[in-house]
Amino acid sequence: MSRMQTQPNPTLDDVARRAGVSTATVSRCLNAPAKVSGKTRERVMAAVTALGYTPHFGARAMAARRTHTIGAVIPTMENAVFARGLQAFQEGLHAAGYTLLVASSAYDPVVEAEQVRALVARGADGLLLIGRTRDRALTDFLSARGVPALLAWVVEGEGVSVGFDNRAAMRALAEAVLAEGHRRIAMISGLTTGNDRASERLAGLREALAAAGLTRAGLPLEEVPYGIETGGAAFARLMEARPRPTAVMCGNDVLAAGALAKAAEMGLRVPEDVSITGFDDIELARIVPPGLTTAHVPHRDMGARAAEVLIALVEGGDAASVTLACPVVRRGSLGPPRG
């Protein structure tokens, strides 16, 4: 064979003959592996590897009018809050024979719209989007093309969602802080512009303060990008006030970890001198000293349920929104104010 000659691409029939199974079994193994027994799947995949078989994606998509591809656009890949949920989401999709493509918007609605359009152009059968705040034109674009979009990390809003009530969860956390006797409470929030999760958490805190007879003007507030360093710097600024806040509530665990580190650097004891709370209950909340009191976001459950609901939407079945609990988790960072 000359260097310019090439071998013909192996076909589905070639794989089936080598594995000793039907072409339908090969197809199921590639598209819905969970529906094929382990030994058969191993035999088929060994034949696929030996032959170097690659499914004809374009032909398969045209025949089925679906690509078995799901797109997800998340605000950032730098924040661990999305990792666990996306992992469970991907596992659920894979078990049903779907492939996940992930893009990041960097909290920029213009970039999110670009990523959504790019994923649709590449044949995404459905999309997972974070939050409900976006331009109406993007929603109309997806509707016109018949591409279902599932909203996650939030509840309510237009369309189907799988998430939790950010406002109610932060309100419950604030009530726990108030129950300890705190009245001088400050907040370190993520940037609320274009971020309904951050704005809802801030609203939940304000609701709890108002119910306790504390005014909105009495809430010292720092809005900063999510990060340990930004959380620490915001905490230092809040501690310049006189009298100091006795409790600092943070919009997520990463900001709270930064606040804890800065408190230690400033010689402040937590919770004796100041209480600090987070939100999300990622692994970081468990390992930082003295352990963060926080709101537990059910990341894995949310991701798994999101996969189920979005697949149902893509395949034309019934799908209803799912609201998950987001309970308060008490740890050592919250205590009563001194005196």
Side-chain angles (χ1 to χ4, degrees):
M1 181 184 297
S2 71
R3 296 179 67 182
M4 295 299 294
Q5 290 178 312
T6 59
Q7 293 180 331
N9 291 327
T11 66
L12 199 70
D13 288 331
D14 294 331
V15 175
R17 279 194 297 271
R18 187 179 184 99
V21 298
S22 68
T23 55
T25 298
V26 176
S27 180
R28 277 196 302 273
C29 188
L30 295 173
N31 296 318
K35 297 180 180 180
V36 183
S37 69
K39 289 184 179 180
T40 300
R41 188 166 63 244
E42 290 174 5
R43 195 161 70 248
V44 170
M45 295 314 296
V48 167
T49 301
L51 292 172
Y53 172 73
T54 302
H56 194 311
F57 178 80
R60 185 175 70 187
M62 288 178 64
R65 295 188 178 274
R66 289 212 309 267
T67 63
H68 284 84
T69 300
I70 297 295
V73 184
I74 63 174
T76 178
M77 295 185 185
E78 294 183 337
N79 194 331
V81 299
F82 300 110
R84 179 170 289 184
L86 273 181
Q87 179 63 32
F89 181 63
Q90 191 275 334
E91 290 168 4
L93 294 180
H94 180 262
Y98 285 82
T99 298
L100 175 63
L101 299 178
V102 181
S104 171
S105 69
Y107 289 97
D108 187 330
V110 175
V111 175
E112 182 193 52
E114 292 172 354
Q115 300 286 19
V116 165
R117 292 174 185 274
L119 288 167
V120 171
R122 284 162 175 77
D125 295 324
L127 293 173
L128 178 76
L129 302 177
I130 308 301
R132 60 176 179 266
T133 302
R134 56 187 47 83
D135 192 88
R136 178 75 193 190
L138 186 59
T139 305
D140 292 342
F141 167 80
L142 292 172
S143 178
R145 282 154 182 78
V147 178
L150 176 69
L151 308 183
W153 268 264
V154 291
V155 293
E156 301 176 348
E158 187 174 333
V160 181
S161 64
V162 175
F164 58 95
D165 190 330
N166 285 272
R167 183 184 296 222
M170 183 58 91
R171 186 169 60 242
L173 185 56
E175 288 167 352
V177 173
L178 288 163
E180 289 289 336
H182 293 280
R183 292 299 180 268
R184 297 200 306 273
I185 299 172
M187 183 173 189
I188 304 174
S189 170
L191 300 177
T192 57
T193 301
N195 185 336
D196 46 43
R197 284 86 60 213
S199 59
E200 285 291 285
R201 293 173 195 181
L202 176 57
L205 172 54
R206 284 176 168 159
E207 284 182 1
L209 295 180
L214 302 175
T215 66
R216 173 175 177 155
L219 175 67
L221 173 66
E222 289 279 340
E223 279 196 32
V224 295
Y226 286 133
I228 289 178
E229 294 80 9
T230 55
F235 177 83
R237 289 191 294 271
L238 290 171
M239 289 298 105
E240 292 173 358
R242 293 294 182 272
R244 284 175 168 171
T246 62
V248 176
M249 301 187 66
C250 300
N252 78 354
D253 292 339
V254 174
L255 291 173
L260 282 171
K262 182 58 71 171
E265 182 182 316
M266 295 171 67
L268 296 173
R269 298 169 300 163
V270 178
E272 292 84 358
D273 298 322
V274 61
S275 288
I276 296 173
T277 65
F279 197 109
D280 285 322
D281 198 24
I282 59 176
E283 286 82 354
L284 186 63
R286 301 177 181 90
I287 63 174
V288 291
L292 269 174
T293 291
T294 187
H296 174 76
V297 174
H299 295 103
R300 282 200 61 85
D301 193 16
M302 183 168 51
R305 298 292 293 276
E308 295 173 4
V309 173
L310 187 50
I311 289 170
L313 288 172
V314 166
E315 297 183 353
D318 293 330
S321 294
V322 177
T323 300
L324 301 170
C326 188
V328 173
V329 178
R330 294 291 299 258
R331 298 195 181 94
S333 70
L334 174 62
R338 286 195 301 177

